[in-house]
Amino acid sequence: MCSVSSIKGVGIGFPEQKSFHSKGNYSLFGFNFLRFRRCERHAEKKFSSTVVRAAIAKPEIDFSDPYWKNKFKEDFENRFDLPHLRDVFDIKPMPTTFSLHNRGSQIVSGADLPEDRKNGYVNDDDRALLKVIKYSSPTSAGAECIDADCSWVEQWVHRAGPRKQIYFEPEKVNAGIVTCGGLCPGLNDVIRQIVFTLELYGVKKIIGIPFGYRGFFDQGLPEIPLSRNVVQNINLAGGSLLGVSRGGANVSEIVDSIQARGIDMLFILGGNGTHAGANAIHNECHKRKMKVSVVCVPKTIDNDILLMDKTFGFDTSVEEAQRAINSAYIEAHSAYHGIGLVKLMGRSSGFIAMHASLSSGQIDVCLIPEVPFKLDGPYGVLQHLEHLIETKGSAVVCVAEGAGQDMLEKSNATDASGNVVLGDIGVHIQQRIKRHFKEVGVPADVKYIDPTYMIRACRPNASDAILCTVLGQNAVHGAFAGYSGITVGICNTHYVYLPIPEVIASPRTVDPNSRMWHRCLTSTGQPDFM
């Protein structure tokens, strides 16, 4: 089934998940793919999804075909070929204006500058490997195999960075930046680097669109002029200089606004829903034959964007979560039969809860959306907590907000982004723990902590600040290189460009068969709660 974004006035469909059908009895582990076919380059076409969590699907490919690997590679290259302005316009490139020598006071009027670095640019044909592990068996922990023999097939994606040739005249460029969705550590850092890099290219007009997509159509929200002086110190605070909001307007109206403002480059910071909207904006600009480059920077503390090592804000969120976990630990160990309960963000992905549990070393039970659990019964969470109280005298529990939703009353309510409003699993577990220990006649002192909005509002730590810096710079390099409908991310430690449809097919989730989840279980010592 195809799910539709909440942006009104247009059906932004997440790509239908498909898979190869085999003529033999094979299993496909970890991936779903389109049928082999040559795609019309960046036209209205169907895209496949790459599912990170290992799953068994019915393949579509005939593995008896001796050329199946070549066909697989061809299909992959078609899907990951980046949309470019040349697809619509007959335009010629020009030498780049971006140079490592063009740095403020180092420029002396009339002086001869040394030749630029020979290795200062990225070639258009540079690629990075999407997957680097060759699994020898589908039973290996975290195995993601294409066929039953776990055949190795190289999958290459475009490397990010500055090119020697560009497709915009910088002095004529009108660039826009917008931040959508919720707050996330590092938004200001990305904005700052986008502005800095645009100015190094020679762009004179840069504007910020206030409060997400709303800023395109709300007449009471004037655009914000941006320059190095304006953004110089915004990285010292959390939040977003431009403000954020969820949801949006009719995509046609947004593109009308882009056209009226004369925007040539639009940089959009947001998560899966924001990316879906950005892809619709790119397609509408394409349809109208507008020379506009739409480039995304993935923003989500949940770390739930497909194919990427991590998204900015995640490291900071895990680090800040330690404060809440440590407080819960101290409360639990300072009380008679104390139980500390911490709820962390993670709608459909438990990455924050898993990594925070691993890094703290203080968690006895970690509950995430990807792994079902029961509270009651001989193998339930409550029985295990009873055991911990008996043996340790205290316990600390970490739960992701999207975990255990099957235990709560279903709600048809949605937020402005179209996300289903989740029940409060933290409060539910808190009440159940209290009730259980009262029923068994064992005193228990339960302390519940929900640090959600404190975490989102932080400024980024050093690791995230570096990530934000490089992502912001590469977003500008991608736009000047003529790409549109792309997002920038880090993959196997290398910065890459990816077509937006490939990263919004579904949320990235924790693989319960992965080594990282196994490590978390080893750290907590928890059993299977089924």
Side-chain angles (χ1 to χ4, degrees):
M1 297 272 312
C2 187
S3 60
V4 179
S5 167
S6 63
I7 295 184
K8 300 174 183 177
V10 63
I12 302 173
F14 286 95
E16 185 177 352
Q17 297 187 17
K18 303 192 176 192
S19 59
F20 290 121
H21 289 298
S22 173
K23 294 180 180 178
N25 295 320
Y26 296 98
S27 293
L28 180 70
F29 297 83
F31 290 98
N32 290 331
F33 294 102
L34 286 176
R35 294 179 186 272
F36 287 134
R37 58 179 174 77
R38 179 171 294 279
C39 303
E40 286 298 322
R41 196 165 185 240
H42 311 303
E44 298 278 334
K45 59 184 179 182
K46 294 181 180 178
F47 289 80
S48 74
S49 66
T50 303
V51 179
V52 173
R53 180 167 51 181
I56 297 177
K58 187 177 180 182
E60 251 181 22
I61 176 173
D62 179 9
F63 292 116
S64 64
D65 181 351
Y67 302 106
W68 76 264
K69 285 187 182 180
N70 291 334
K71 293 177 180 178
F72 179 93
K73 287 182 180 179
E74 181 182 0
D75 178 76
F76 183 89
E77 289 171 2
N78 280 329
R79 291 189 292 113
F80 281 81
D81 194 18
L82 302 178
H84 198 279
L85 294 174
R86 290 189 307 256
D87 301 339
V88 182
F89 303 97
D90 182 18
I91 51 176
K92 303 296 182 184
M94 63 196 78
T96 184
T97 54
F98 177 82
S99 169
L100 295 174
H101 293 307
N102 295 340
R103 289 172 290 180
S105 60
Q106 293 188 7
I107 304 300
V108 180
S109 179
D112 291 330
L113 290 174
E115 185 181 350
D116 210 345
R117 297 172 187 260
K118 293 181 179 178
N119 58 347
Y121 301 101
V122 171
N123 192 289
D124 281 343
D125 293 327
D126 282 2
R127 299 290 185 271
L129 269 177
L130 184 62
K131 303 292 179 183
V132 295
I133 298 179
K134 181 183 184 298
Y135 294 98
S136 63
S137 168
T139 60
S140 296
E144 297 176 344
C145 302
I146 297 168
D147 65 345
D149 296 324
C150 272
S151 299
W152 170 255
V153 182
E154 295 177 354
Q155 300 170 72
W156 298 97
V157 291
H158 291 249
R159 186 183 176 204
R163 269 58 172 171
K164 278 191 173 182
Q165 294 184 313
I166 58 177
Y167 288 83
F168 288 92
E169 296 179 52
E171 66 276 7
K172 296 182 180 179
V173 166
N174 182 5
I177 308 172
V178 61
T179 55
C180 305
L183 287 180
C184 175
L187 283 168
N188 280 335
D189 295 66
V190 178
I191 294 169
R192 180 173 181 263
Q193 284 300 319
I194 290 175
V195 171
F196 281 8
T197 311
L198 284 168
E199 289 196 349
L200 281 175
Y201 271 94
V203 177
K204 303 298 183 184
K205 187 171 183 183
I206 310 169
I207 61 169
I209 306 298
F211 300 106
Y213 288 133
R214 177 184 299 275
F216 282 106
F217 64 92
D218 191 325
Q219 299 300 320
L221 298 174
E223 60 190 35
I224 303 170
L226 299 175
S227 66
R228 176 177 284 267
N229 289 337
V230 173
V231 303
Q232 182 67 52
N233 297 315
I234 63 173
N235 60 312
L236 302 180
S240 168
L241 171 71
L242 305 179
V244 294
S245 71
R246 296 191 180 276
N250 182 291
V251 168
S252 182
E253 290 181 4
I254 292 177
V255 177
D256 286 344
S257 177
I258 292 171
Q259 198 165 17
R261 298 170 194 259
I263 292 176
D264 307 291
M265 294 181 181
L266 181 61
F267 301 96
I268 303 176
L269 285 58
N272 276 308
T274 299
H275 274 61
N279 194 52
I281 291 169
H282 158 74
N283 288 335
E284 182 65 17
C285 290
H286 179 120
K287 180 180 176 182
R288 297 189 189 187
K289 298 213 170 9
M290 295 167 54
K291 188 186 174 185
V292 177
S293 180
V294 179
V295 178
C296 284
V297 180
K299 172 233 71 172
T300 166
I301 66 172
D302 288 351
N303 200 33
D304 61 350
I305 303 291
L306 284 177
L307 309 178
M308 299 180 186
D309 292 358
K310 62 180 178 179
T311 51
F312 77 81
F314 174 68
D315 275 357
T316 305
S317 300
V318 171
E319 185 173 308
E320 287 299 318
Q322 304 306 299
R323 301 175 188 273
I325 290 174
N326 190 52
S327 296
Y329 174 84
I330 292 172
E331 287 284 355
H333 282 253
S334 300
Y336 177 67
H337 288 181
I339 298 177
L341 174 62
V342 179
K343 184 182 78 172
L344 298 176
M345 295 188 77
R347 292 187 57 86
S348 58
S349 304
F351 287 103
I352 293 180
M354 177 177 69
H355 282 255
S357 297
L358 264 172
S359 57
S360 72
Q362 298 169 327
I363 296 297
D364 298 295
V365 176
C366 177
L367 305 173
I368 61 175
E370 297 87 343
V371 181
F373 63 92
K374 292 181 180 179
L375 292 178
D376 298 308
Y379 304 107
V381 174
L382 298 175
Q383 185 65 42
H384 184 60
L385 288 177
E386 198 175 328
H387 168 73
L388 291 171
I389 292 297
E390 279 183 27
T391 57
K392 293 179 57 179
S394 62
V396 183
V397 180
C398 177
V399 58
E401 63 176 329
Q405 290 299 305
D406 56 316
M407 304 176 185
L408 307 175
E409 185 177 345
K410 294 289 187 292
S411 171
N412 293 323
T414 58
D415 63 17
S417 295
N419 300 313
V420 174
V421 176
L422 299 176
D424 196 330
I425 188 63
V427 171
H428 177 75
I429 291 179
Q430 176 196 30
Q431 294 171 347
R432 291 294 305 277
I433 293 174
K434 288 182 176 180
R435 189 196 318 165
H436 173 80
F437 280 92
K438 184 176 181 181
E439 289 172 352
V440 298
V442 177
D445 191 350
V446 184
K447 298 294 195 294
Y448 175 51
I449 299 174
D450 180 356
T452 296
Y453 293 102
M454 294 175 66
I455 290 175
R456 297 196 326 170
C458 293
R459 62 174 293 193
N461 62 12
S463 173
D464 268 331
I466 294 170
L467 178 59
C468 292
T469 295
V470 183
L471 290 176
Q473 291 175 2
N474 280 326
V476 177
H477 295 322
F480 268 103
Y483 298 121
S484 181
I486 66 166
T487 191
V488 58
I490 184 169
C491 178
N492 293 319
T493 73
H494 294 283
Y495 291 89
V496 300
Y497 297 131
L498 299 166
I500 292 176
E502 294 298 330
V503 302
I504 63 172
S506 65
R508 177 182 179 224
T509 55
V510 173
D511 178 1
N513 295 314
S514 67
R515 288 292 300 125
M516 191 59 74
W517 178 243
H518 293 175
R519 293 173 185 129
C520 186
L521 295 179
T522 300
S523 175
T524 62
Q526 71 192 62
D528 291 330
F529 296 118
M530 295 301 290

